[in-house]
Each structure stands twice: as C-alpha cells, then as structure tokens.
Amino acid sequence: MDKRTLGNTGLAIAPLMFGGNVLGWTADEQMSFRLLDAFTDAGFNAIDTADTYSRWAPGNSPGTSERVIGKWLKASGKRGKIVLATKVGGVISEEKRGLRKSYILTAVEDSLRRLQTDHIDLYQSHYDDPETPIEETLEAYASLISAGKVRHIGTSNMTRPRIVASAAISKDKGWPAYQTLQPEYNLFDREKYETEFAAYAAEHQLGVIPYFSLASGFLTGKYRSAADIAGSPRAKFLGKYFNDRGTRILEALDSVAAKHQSKPGMVAISWVKNRPTVTAPIASATNLQQLGELIRAVSLQLDTADMELLNTASAF
C-alpha cells in the first residue's frame, strides 16, 4: 500500500482514513472490530474519531467510539501499526466543551484512557472556541506534545482567519502549529474548501483529511429522493442534497461507475483522493461489503475525461 506523508508531521498514512463516527453506533462493537481488522489487514493504517462520537445516538454516551477503538487496540495488539487521530472541543456538556487549557488537559486524559493508549498521534481542535484566547489553546497543546501524550495537532471546522492567526502565534511563541486540516469536502460540498482553504493548505503543506467524503452516504447513490431517507439515522444530514445539482452529480457518478464497472461511492472516493492538496479522505462503513467498496475505491484509476465529467457536474 502506497503511503502519503501527512503534511509536515512525518507520519505516513494510506490514502484513506477510517471514520470512527459509526463505531458503537450504526456498527455495533462486534462489527466494529471486524471492520477495523479488515481495514488494517488490507494495508490501511489511519483511524479518525472524536471524544463526542457518538453522543447523538439514543443510549450512547460521549466517547463511545473511542472506547470501542480502545478495546479493539488492546485485543488486536495493533497500536504500533496505527496512526490514531481524535478530537477535542465538541460539546459533551455545558462544562465539557471548548478549547480552554484546563479542559483540554482533562479531556486528553479521558481520551487516552478510553483509547487505552499512552499517546495520540494527531489531536485535533474539533470546533473553534472564540471565547478562549488562541494562545491558551496552543499552550495546552504545546504542553501535551512536550509530555509525549500528543505527537501532532490539527484543526477542523475553523475559519481561515483563525487558522492563520493560530499559525502566527505558534511561530511567535515557538509552539507546535496545526499540521492538518479536516474540512467538509466532497463532490457536492466543494465551494467552501476550494475557495477558502485549498490554496492556504497547499502553501503551508497542511495534511488535508476531508470528512463527509461521501456526503453522508448521498454519493453512494443509495438515496435518490427524500422518500429514500425516511426513518434513516442520516436523514438530518441528507436533505440538502436533493436538488438539481445533486441529481447531476449522481448521474455523472453513475456514468463513470458504469464505465469502470464500479459503483458511484467508489468513484466519489477516488475523486476526493485525487484532488490537489488532499492527503486522504475519511469515510465510514457499517458492514464488510461497504468497507470492501471503500478499499477498492483507492485503487480505482479515474482518467482525465472522468475527472472532467465529475468536475463539470459538480461545478459551483
């Protein structure tokens, strides 16, 4: 499996990250173990999660995904082969949220305990916290890296001005800087990343690991109308895609998939993987068949005509 360097971290990852949001939610613990084993046995080595996953699911508590990963790491003995990424800053409760130094230093210990590891390879600011000074957040990360509990830091869902300001403060203080960016980016959701972040990411050699690479499953072609999502746990994410542009994108995916005897979701993953600045898309699977399609998508070779068709259909 060819690896790509994740920004300036020196970490080498396969060009697909497993999205841990499904673990312990739409994939129960037993299936989660099977998915993670199959993913790593196929040569992939990067897993992304967050301390909030999956608090939104009935009966679940924050940290469910991390706990499942921790149990799997202990049972499998694969920690040394994994680039492990998690996040802090999402809302767990009124007290447990944001990027205050005191909270980060507590939250990381909780994540380490749940993950059953002594370090996190990539610790990311999940959401910005405008109420906390940037210096306070970066100082917390600097102390964690100095202590060996975190190797590198990244950010997600942060505005470009705040990322630029964070980089300037890191340089001025001699503190570690954000080395990765986790944006929402897929064939449908292109405009924000491409107009606001792509050039900056390229200039500063940030590792880019997009989430929602399949647009919450829309780009698999499984959901063609609002009626198709009735009762689905993904319904709240999918409504915005049912419009003329969404239809054009699905038609282009169908065409390219038919040409390659593939599937729309595989084509969508291949498109993201091959976009400038992208290191590895993040995608989730809830069963082994879905995972197999994700794995095959990495080796799917799209030609210039394929990319042009997809780019035109998804133009914003």
Side-chain angles (χ1 to χ4, degrees), residues 10 13 20 38 79 99 124 130 132 141 157 161 166 227 236 242 263 267 275 284 287 295:
I13 66 171
R79 178 64 185 97
L99 299 173
Q124 302 158 95
T132 297
Y141 289 144
N157 302 301
S166 297
K236 65 179 179 178
F242 299 115
K263 294 190 175 182
V267 174
R275 294 299 290 165
S284 303
N287 59 57
I295 289 171

Side-chain angles (χ1 to χ4, degrees), residues 77-183:
K78 293 182 178 180
R79 178 64 185 97
K81 300 178 180 179
I82 298 299
V83 173
L84 184 58
T86 192
K87 311 180 196 74
V88 64
V91 177
I92 292 178
S93 68
E94 283 303 311
E95 297 76 26
K96 296 181 176 182
R97 61 188 299 169
L99 299 173
R100 303 182 317 276
K101 180 179 179 180
S102 60
Y103 175 59
I104 289 174
L105 297 182
T106 299
V108 75
E109 298 297 340
D110 291 339
S111 287
L112 289 168
R113 174 178 48 78
R114 288 189 291 261
L115 291 165
Q116 300 194 47
T117 185
D118 63 355
H119 72 279
I120 294 164
D121 297 302
L122 178 64
Y123 202 38
Q124 302 158 95
S125 295
H126 200 169
Y127 298 94
D128 198 5
D129 178 6
E131 297 178 0
T132 297
I134 294 172
E135 291 87 346
E136 181 177 337
T137 298
L138 293 174
E139 184 179 19
Y141 289 144
S143 69
L144 292 177
I145 290 174
S146 178
K149 295 179 180 181
V150 168
R151 289 188 174 177
H152 305 280
I153 57 172
T155 187
S156 179
N157 302 301
M158 188 175 285
T159 65
R160 175 171 169 165
R162 293 279 286 184
I163 294 172
V164 172
S166 297
I169 291 169
S170 290
K171 183 177 181 180
D172 181 62
K173 298 286 188 179
W175 289 337
Y178 292 130
Q179 299 296 335
T180 65
L181 175 64
Q182 186 175 146

Side-chain angles (χ1 to χ4, degrees), residues 11 30 36 45-46 63 69 112 136 153 158 219-220 226 253 264 268 270:
L11 298 171
Q30 182 180 14
L36 292 171
N45 67 329
I69 293 170
L112 289 168
E136 181 177 337
I153 57 172
M158 188 175 285
L219 297 175
T220 66
L253 286 170
S270 183

